[in-house]
Each structure stands twice: as structure tokens, then as C-alpha cells.
Amino acid sequence: IGLIDFGQVKQVNSDFREAVAKVIIALDERKSDDNPDDLVRIGTYAAGLGIELKDDVPAHGHAAMAMWLFDGSVETYPDGYDESEMSPNSPLKAMKDFPKDIVLLARSTVLVKGMAKRFGIRWSLSQEWAPIARRVLKSNSGHIVEGSSQGTKLLRLKSWGKQKATKIVNYLPGPIKKRVLSAVLRHQESSDAKLRTMRA
């Protein structure tokens, strides 16, 4: 198997991440592939991704699209939709507009689903990604509002800085690495002590 990574990266805003997370969780928590309440819930969240469907499609078009994108374990699609992209009943044929924010995500999910299918594995992306989706929703309800420009930049800067610092420290010679890690530990202990004082 050869899997070539061209380093493609797509940055999406917190609203879109939250919309995807809600679809993933709705898929993961569904009782069955044809439960009407589940289909309405999945479809409602999937509509939030910005996928527009043609006017004459069946009621559960968005739910079928979400299942097609994020769950390779689905046996039977709602409203007679078919898993095959080439089928006239494919959820893809029901689309009127596919937003650019979701293109790279869709390519990735189709690639993973295709590989799983090739090896005969019924694999659910939504089940695998549900814990991450729950973390996304939890972090979006935290103290820093990720939707705000300042909060998002601060979180990204901290994350980027932590990753870069870890890489640099790993390349340092032993004695220097020990000093740096000791300084970081002292700083963290000092920050924790200040935080405890503020809470008291």
C-alpha cells in the first residue's frame, strides 16, 4: 500500500468545527440507521454544514449525505439512497451545492472509507471520531470563546508554541535539556501556586 501525503491542510473556523462535531455525535448516538428521530437530528445538524440539496430530494437527504460522508458501516441508507457514488440514488446526486470548507474533509473521509472497504472492513468514522467531537464541543463551551478572533488566536499561538518548544527541547544535549525542563517545571509550579492563591 502506498499512501502519499502531500501535506494538504485546511483551517476551518470554530463554528464549522462545532457543526461537524454535532453531526459526528448525532451519527454515533443513533439507535439505528432508519430511526426517524435519529434521521431528523442527523439531517438537521448536517444541514448546518452548508450542503445544499436539490428541491426535489426525499426528506432525509441531509442525513443520507452525513452517513455517506462519515460512516462506512451503514448497511441501508434512508429514503432509498445508495452508497455507490455512481448510482443514480447516491446522496451525491442530491446535492446542489457543496461548500469549499468541507471539500478537503470529504476527500479525507472518502479516502479512509475507500481503504476500509477495499479490505472488507465495515468501519465507522463517526464512532472513531466521536470522542474528538465531544472534546471540540466541550472546548467551545470553555472560558475562552473560540469563536472570538482574539481567543482563537491565543489558543492557536499557545498550541503552536508548545509544539515547537517540545521539538526544540528534544534535540538539545542531555545537560542542557535537563536545565530547560527544570526551568519549565519551576515556572509551571509557580503558575499553579498563583492560580491556587487566586481561587482561595
Side-chain angles (χ1 to χ4, degrees):
I1 296 173
L3 182 59
I4 301 171
D5 175 20
F6 293 103
Q8 294 180 322
V9 176
K10 172 69 179 170
Q11 184 174 353
V12 295
N13 64 36
S14 60
D15 291 339
F16 185 75
R17 280 199 311 271
E18 189 170 319
V20 172
K22 286 177 179 176
V23 173
I24 295 294
I25 292 168
L27 284 165
D28 182 53
E29 293 177 347
R30 72 187 187 274
K31 295 183 180 81
S32 69
D33 294 341
D34 57 0
N35 182 298
D37 292 338
D38 289 334
L39 293 175
V40 169
R41 182 173 175 233
I42 294 164
T44 301
Y45 288 135
L49 297 175
I51 299 170
E52 287 184 42
L53 302 180
K54 295 173 184 170
D55 296 332
D56 58 345
V57 300
H60 300 304
H62 278 109
M65 178 61 72
M67 290 174 166
W68 184 83
L69 278 172
F70 300 116
D71 198 337
S73 70
V74 176
E75 298 282 343
T76 306
Y77 284 76
D79 294 337
Y81 282 105
D82 192 346
E83 180 183 15
S84 171
E85 297 170 31
M86 307 310 281
S87 166
N89 297 325
S90 168
L92 290 175
K93 302 283 195 267
M95 278 193 318
K96 182 161 77 173
D97 187 38
F98 199 69
K100 60 182 179 164
D101 275 346
I102 201 171
V103 170
L104 195 57
L105 174 63
R107 285 177 59 193
S108 302
T109 62
V110 169
L111 176 67
V112 171
K113 279 178 47 187
M115 288 175 58
K117 188 169 185 178
R118 180 70 180 95
F119 290 108
I121 302 167
R122 298 298 289 185
W123 195 61
S124 170
L125 287 166
S126 59
Q127 285 180 355
E128 297 297 324
W129 289 358
I132 299 166
R134 289 184 179 93
R135 283 199 303 270
V136 166
L137 292 184
K138 187 175 180 183
S139 71
N140 279 5
S141 64
H143 296 297
I144 295 176
V145 180
E146 274 208 54
S148 73
S149 167
Q150 294 256 321
T152 303
K153 286 177 185 171
L154 182 61
L155 287 174
R156 283 190 196 131
L157 183 62
K158 282 183 177 179
S159 175
W160 177 83
K162 199 179 273 188
Q163 290 170 1
K164 291 293 179 190
T166 302
K167 284 183 181 177
I168 292 167
V169 169
N170 284 335
Y171 285 110
L172 293 175
I176 297 173
K177 185 192 290 189
K178 187 176 180 180
R179 283 188 207 154
V180 169
L181 292 175
S182 294
V184 169
L185 183 60
R186 282 194 304 275
H187 175 71
Q188 185 62 47
E189 287 172 349
S190 172
S191 297
D192 290 346
K194 285 179 186 173
L195 190 59
R196 282 193 296 272
T197 304
M198 288 170 58
R199 288 180 179 166

